[in-house]
């Protein structure tokens, strides 16, 4: 094995196909996006080189700042709901109580559903006239009726919660696997020393899951910044442009207005934003890897 690992030619031979595939499918399109963002281009003609004018226009566009804010809101809700509730459920199911296997499956069911089905389900629930949410308030005698998706102040939060609900099961599965991988003897030692289950998890389990939490946080935040399908199906970016994200702004610019250069600028900014966020998370949660 050592002889094989020391053979650089063999390593290159086996890694080259993966590197080529990554370059063709991921790296080259990203470079093309940055290149096309310097053109005034309709997607069909050769385009006119305008250097950074698209970026200047982007930073002067009010919709850009709305999109940027919505992306951050979306990412924040995903991180809080998915990781927060996912952690609680993972710790509860890890205890192995009766019926935990059924709950483990039921929590993951929304993940495998089509996003179109999920959005149509929540569209019915959010309906201001016959929607389940308003009916629950009515049944409880609470005078609180909302037009969840037609109110510009609540629409982005309502849509973000739908995405958080659907994919919380994915985060739950990752966290449950991580919790189950923590050696039981560590927790037993803590209990012998008089620690409660809650304190043992806070002092032992959670610190040992730092790498998992870092990965889950990157998934949640970049997923929020890249959000598109939910608002496309549920509100079409409305009311007005109150549920635009950078991805939706890119789609609108390129495929509805025919400004591919401007759309590429929005996409390029999104790539940079996700890269900065990922690097920041890795820096802030950087710690010595715990092995056991």
């Amino acid at each position: 094995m050592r002889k094989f690992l020391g053979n650089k030619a063999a390593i290159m031979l086996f890694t080259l196909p993966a590197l080529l595939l990554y370059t063709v499918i991921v790296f080259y399109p990203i470079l093309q996006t940055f290149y096309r963002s310097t053109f005034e281009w309709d997607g069909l003609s050769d385009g006119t080189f305008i250097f950074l004018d698209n970026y200047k226009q982007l930073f002067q566009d009010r919709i850009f700042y709305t999109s940027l804010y919505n992306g951050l809101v979306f990412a924040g809700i995903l991180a809080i709901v998915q990781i927060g509730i996912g952690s609680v459920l993972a710790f509860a199911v890890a205890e192995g109580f009766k019926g935990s296997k059924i709950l483990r499956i039921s929590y993951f069911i929304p993940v495998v559903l089509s996003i179109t089905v999920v959005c149509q389900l929540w569209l019915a629930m959010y309906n201001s006239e016959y929607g389940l949410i308003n009916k629950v308030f009515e049944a409880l005698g609470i005078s609180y009726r909302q037009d969840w998706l037609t109110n510009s102040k609540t629409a982005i939060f309502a849509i973000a919660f739908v995405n958080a609900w659907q994919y919380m099961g994915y985060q739950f599965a990752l966290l449950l696997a991580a919790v189950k991988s923590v050696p039981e003897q560590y927790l037993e030692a803590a209990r012998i020393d008089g620690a409660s289950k809650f304190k043992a998890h806070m002092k032992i389990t959670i610190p040992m899951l730092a790498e998992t939490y870092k990965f889950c946080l990157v998934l949640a935040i970049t997923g929020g910044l890249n959000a598109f399908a939910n608002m496309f199906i549920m509100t079409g970016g409305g009311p007005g442009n109150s549920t635009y994200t950078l991805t939706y702004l890119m789609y609108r610019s390129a495929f509805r207005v025919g400004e591919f250069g401007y759309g590429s600028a929005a996409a390029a900014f999104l790539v940079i934003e996700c890269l900065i966020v990922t690097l920041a998370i890795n820096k802030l949660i950087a710690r010595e890897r715990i092995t056991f």
Side-chain angles (χ1 to χ4, degrees):
M1 178 61 71
R2 290 183 178 178
K3 184 178 180 180
F4 175 78
L5 293 176
N7 189 333
K8 295 182 179 179
I11 293 174
M12 182 61 69
L13 178 65
F14 284 99
T15 57
L16 187 60
L19 288 174
L20 288 174
L21 190 63
Y22 179 83
T23 301
V24 171
I25 295 178
V26 179
F27 192 64
Y28 178 72
I30 291 175
L31 291 180
Q32 275 290 309
T33 298
F34 278 91
Y35 174 70
R36 293 296 179 182
S37 69
T38 60
F39 284 79
E40 183 179 349
W41 184 45
D42 61 5
L44 298 174
S45 62
D46 293 333
T48 303
F49 181 73
I50 56 174
F51 194 42
L52 298 179
D53 285 1
N54 281 324
Y55 293 95
K56 293 177 183 178
Q57 181 183 348
L58 191 68
F59 290 122
Q60 294 171 357
D61 190 348
R62 181 181 57 83
I63 300 178
F64 165 73
Y65 292 101
T66 300
S67 303
L68 187 61
Y69 168 78
N70 286 340
L72 294 173
V73 168
F74 214 104
I77 292 175
L78 261 58
I80 294 170
V81 174
Q82 291 182 347
I83 298 177
I85 299 179
S87 294
V88 173
L89 296 178
F91 283 115
V93 172
E95 294 296 326
F97 58 86
K98 186 176 181 181
S100 61
K101 291 183 178 180
I102 297 175
L103 291 177
R104 187 183 308 179
I105 296 171
S106 64
Y107 293 150
F108 196 78
I109 287 176
V111 179
V112 300
L113 294 177
S114 164
I115 193 168
T116 304
V117 172
V118 171
C119 288
Q120 292 299 327
L121 168 67
W122 281 89
L123 278 172
M125 292 175 65
Y126 281 141
N127 188 278
S128 60
E129 297 298 326
Y130 57 81
L132 176 63
I133 296 176
N134 283 338
K135 288 295 182 180
V136 168
F137 286 124
E138 183 180 322
L140 295 174
I142 301 174
S143 180
Y144 186 77
R145 181 179 292 273
Q146 286 287 325
D147 293 331
W148 300 95
L149 297 176
T150 57
N151 185 333
S152 59
K153 294 182 179 179
T154 61
I156 188 63
F157 295 95
I159 295 173
F161 182 79
V162 173
N163 188 283
W165 173 82
Q166 181 177 8
Y167 294 107
M168 182 186 65
Y170 185 74
Q171 302 277 23
F172 158 76
L174 293 174
L175 291 167
L176 177 61
V179 171
K180 298 287 282 185
S181 70
V182 175
E184 183 62 29
Q185 58 265 32
Y186 292 175
L187 298 175
E188 289 179 359
R191 294 191 193 106
I192 292 172
D193 289 340
S196 63
K197 283 186 178 181
F198 176 78
K199 193 170 184 179
H201 283 313
M202 291 297 295
K203 297 294 184 180
I204 297 175
T205 308
I206 291 179
M208 297 186 76
L209 301 185
E211 291 295 320
T212 302
Y213 275 114
K214 181 165 65 175
F215 179 68
C216 290
L217 191 58
V218 169
L219 284 180
I221 293 182
T222 55
L225 296 176
N226 284 291
F228 170 76
N230 292 92
M231 51 275 300
F232 179 78
I233 297 171
M234 298 181 75
T235 62
N241 48 46
S242 62
T243 56
Y244 271 47
T245 57
L246 285 176
T247 314
Y248 199 93
L249 175 62
M250 174 188 67
Y251 161 77
R252 170 188 171 275
S253 301
F255 298 105
R256 288 189 176 178
V257 185
E259 297 178 351
F260 275 79
Y262 188 70
S264 296
F269 184 89
L270 180 61
V271 170
I272 295 172
E273 183 183 27
C274 290
L275 181 61
I276 291 173
V277 167
T278 302
L279 292 175
I281 291 173
N282 281 289
K283 184 69 174 178
L284 292 173
I285 314 182
R287 57 169 294 165
E288 185 178 350
R289 185 182 295 271
I290 299 175
T291 56
F292 45 84

